[in-house]
Amino acid sequence: MAQSPYTVRWGILATGGIAQSFVKDLLCNPAVRGVSDVAHKVVAVASSRSRDSAAAFLDKVGLSPGGVALYGSYHELVADPNVDCVYVATPHSHHFQNTMLALEAGKNVLCEKAFTVTAAQTRKLVETARAKGLFLMEAVWTRYFPLSIKIRELVASGAIGTVYRVVADNSLGTSKPDGNLTFSDESRMVNRDLAGGALLDLGIYSLTWVFQILYHLQPRAEEDKEAPTTVAAIEKYDRTGADESTTVLVRFPQHKSMGVAMTSLRLATNTDGKNSGGPAIKIQGTLGEIQVTGPAYRPTQYKVVRKDGDGKVEVVDCPIPFDSERNHGHGMFWEADEVARCLRDGKKESATLPLSESIVIMEVMDEALKQGGVEYPELITTDVFDPQSPLNTGSR
């Protein structure tokens, strides 16, 4: 008799676009992606402002209201005894307070990237989760793509020799003829009150590729891995003071390796929409290189160029499974599957993105923003938990 899959009961904290994409993926048939050991069920949804917003969310994602608790506050959601894990889908300005709210209520948490606004906040979340024996993970979905796993395995096997350099770009071309960006000043992309800017929203993916190769694959125990030095160049958006273009150079001197992580709201990585400009990521080793076709956050193809390959290029396509019955398949289900397996196996963090690595990445972004003179308000940078913070209550 086949064993029933381990099912995670999810509570969804926030009802915006990213939450909709995530839940639509949760509702996809796991068999479509070849998964039979874990499954997912949404049991609660919360908006910070009204229960009606939570109800409208169900319509948007095509979820029947039966068996789903609807809340008009985050406090009610984290108190729901039927929730196994809370998915925090608010802007990253809110992540620290929202995740602390869930952890303090005894809930496991999957928190969207960027984990927090500051490294100090990330360290506080990790300390709290560990002290309470709870699972915590940053939702960097790209790490869990089969494509990413294959590339890490290739690099670890020595297929392209010793890797000394990774160059990655994740940028959007939103510049208008008048010099402004297409985003309104209130948009989370450029509003410093919401921790707006290219680095925390887009650059995290460039750094993901640098780190999952040059840091994650270091053959050392987690506590002994070499953290990089950081040099950054930042151009600030005149209208809001957020970073509009950022380049981060990280160097691992013990390994003689370096990474270049680029991001911009001015220029697109994919200039013509057809990737004619080449790969978004280049992983360069002594025996060859791996070129990853963009976008950096949702890649579906990579190429292997070998030094002795006589000009032949190996092209590997990794399409994202699509559930035709639900007319969806975005790629966020793989990170959800990872959460399910960790919870099933009693793990408190993911080996694919350890909490210590999330901290180091946040430290790099901290330093980059500091060098660029980008500052955010105290409300969203404090590492003091306040259950009644407006970030938790939705009050203006």
Side-chain angles (χ1 to χ4, degrees):
M1 182 177 177
Q3 189 174 2
S4 298
Y6 178 89
T7 302
V8 177
R9 298 174 302 171
W10 289 92
I12 310 301
L13 191 149
T15 56
I18 193 72
Q20 292 172 35
S21 294
F22 182 75
V23 169
K24 286 180 180 179
D25 263 18
L26 291 184
L27 299 176
C28 288
N29 183 353
V32 172
R33 58 185 182 275
V35 170
S36 59
D37 61 322
V38 294
H40 307 279
K41 183 179 181 180
V42 176
V43 298
V45 175
S47 163
S48 65
R49 299 228 169 91
S50 75
R51 188 178 181 277
D52 288 345
S53 294
F57 176 85
L58 298 189
D59 289 335
K60 292 174 183 176
V61 300
L63 180 60
S64 170
V68 182
L70 303 175
Y71 298 117
S73 77
Y74 297 159
H75 287 75
E76 291 175 290
L77 177 81
V78 302
D80 189 326
N82 293 318
V83 171
D84 296 321
C85 188
V86 172
Y87 172 61
V88 175
T90 47
H92 30 264
S93 52
H94 292 48
H95 287 176
F96 171 72
Q97 295 292 348
N98 298 164
T99 300
M100 281 294 296
L101 187 72
L103 292 173
E104 289 291 347
K107 296 301 185 187
N108 302 298
V109 179
L110 173 65
C111 176
E112 261 307 326
K113 57 82 211 157
F115 220 162
T116 54
V117 182
T118 72
Q121 290 178 329
T122 297
R123 285 191 288 268
K124 182 71 172 287
L125 293 183
V126 172
E127 290 168 5
T128 303
R130 287 176 174 168
K132 291 181 172 293
L134 296 168
F135 175 83
L136 177 64
M137 186 176 110
E138 182 181 12
V140 184
W141 58 317
T142 316
R143 288 251 181 164
Y144 302 92
F145 277 36
L147 175 144
S148 296
I149 296 170
K150 289 179 182 180
I151 289 175
R152 291 196 299 270
E153 290 173 346
L154 269 177
V155 172
S157 73
I160 59 170
T162 302
V163 173
Y164 285 112
R165 183 169 61 195
V166 176
V167 181
D169 180 44
N170 187 39
S171 299
L172 298 177
T174 66
S175 187
K176 297 196 297 185
D178 64 3
N180 293 322
L181 300 175
T182 57
F183 300 108
S184 73
D185 293 352
E186 290 73 38
S187 165
R188 68 175 183 82
M189 295 299 296
V190 295
N191 182 353
R192 285 189 300 123
D193 289 340
L194 298 175
L199 181 59
L200 290 178
D201 199 87
L202 302 176
I204 179 69
Y205 289 110
S206 304
L207 283 169
T208 288
W209 280 99
V210 169
F211 265 80
Q212 71 173 332
I213 303 301
L214 299 180
Y215 182 88
H216 189 77
L217 294 181
Q218 290 178 21
R220 299 180 177 184
E222 200 60 39
E223 63 273 12
D224 296 327
K225 288 186 176 179
E226 180 191 14
T229 60
T230 302
V231 176
I234 284 181
E235 185 67 32
K236 291 196 282 188
Y237 185 36
D238 291 340
R239 295 180 64 90
T240 68
D243 66 302
E244 65 173 43
S245 294
T246 296
T247 296
V248 181
L249 176 63
V250 293
R251 176 173 169 257
F252 301 85
Q254 295 174 26
H255 292 80
K256 300 184 182 299
S257 63
M258 60 182 62
V260 183
M262 297 176 287
T263 186
S264 180
L265 298 174
R266 289 283 179 195
L267 302 169
T269 305
N270 184 5
T271 304
D272 64 356
K274 299 180 179 179
N275 291 302
S276 302
I281 299 103
K282 296 184 76 172
I283 302 166
Q284 299 177 304
T286 53
L287 300 178
E289 71 176 37
I290 297 171
Q291 301 176 349
V292 185
T293 305
Y297 54 87
R298 193 176 181 264
T300 57
Q301 182 189 83
Y302 68 90
K303 300 175 181 179
V304 183
V305 181
R306 302 180 191 276
K307 188 176 181 180
D308 60 358
D310 194 30
K312 296 179 182 178
V313 177
E314 179 185 358
V315 180
V316 181
D317 290 306
C318 301
I320 295 172
F322 190 80
D323 186 337
S324 56
E325 289 190 9
R326 295 207 63 90
N327 195 35
H328 193 76
H330 194 55
M332 302 181 82
F333 32 59
W334 285 310
E335 67 178 356
D337 292 343
E338 172 72 2
V339 173
R341 293 184 180 113
C342 286
L343 293 178
R344 178 195 64 192
D345 299 340
K347 297 178 180 178
K348 304 306 179 186
E349 59 185 288
S350 168
T352 302
L353 181 54
L355 294 171
S356 56
E357 187 167 345
S358 285
I359 290 173
V360 176
I361 293 172
M362 279 304 314
E363 288 173 341
V364 167
M365 293 197 289
D366 253 10
E367 179 60 25
L369 292 168
K370 179 182 176 181
Q371 290 181 22
V374 177
E375 297 181 351
Y376 295 112
E378 172 71 14
L379 177 67
I380 67 172
T381 57
T382 180
D383 61 355
V384 177
F385 171 54
D386 178 6
Q388 296 306 316
S389 165
L391 305 179
N392 280 327
T393 64
S395 61
R396 294 182 183 275

